[in-house]
Amino acid sequence: KIPEIDNLVVAGDLVRGLEHGSAGLSQERAYVSGLAAGNHLIKRMGGNSAHEILATEDDEPQFKALKEFAQRSDKLLRAIGLESILDRPT
């Protein structure tokens, strides 16, 4: 566990524990985490105005199809023993 530092709030696409539909490394996630960090600081300082964080919309059909293709391709490559080229840092 990482210790808490009173004056430090972190934002960016690598921030974990953010309850929002934007996932992975993306500009949207970085932006939303920045809003969440700002809202946290406003609340911590006794303020009551915060920026609204909107929920994400469902993926568009072409993006859903591409994600499914990528998942199936991943499974196929792993099944034939090519998982080493797929391993990515998590």
Side-chain angles (χ1 to χ4, degrees), residues 4-84:
E4 290 187 22
I5 301 173
D6 287 340
N7 297 358
L8 179 66
V9 177
V10 179
D13 56 358
L14 294 174
V15 172
R16 297 193 184 268
L18 181 63
E19 297 298 325
H20 192 263
S22 60
L25 305 176
S26 68
Q27 292 174 342
E28 291 82 5
R29 186 163 181 82
Y31 177 75
V32 168
S33 71
L35 289 176
N39 288 344
H40 179 77
L41 290 173
I42 290 169
K43 184 177 178 183
R44 182 187 289 177
M45 295 173 62
N48 59 3
S49 68
H51 295 284
E52 181 180 9
I53 298 175
L54 304 175
T56 58
E57 297 179 1
D58 286 339
D59 289 336
E60 296 172 342
Q62 69 273 17
F63 190 71
K64 284 182 181 180
L66 185 59
K67 279 175 43 177
E68 185 173 335
F69 174 76
Q71 290 169 350
R72 288 179 184 215
S73 298
D74 184 69
K75 286 181 184 179
L76 175 64
L77 291 172
R78 288 184 189 282
I80 61 173
L82 295 176
E83 65 271 351
S84 63

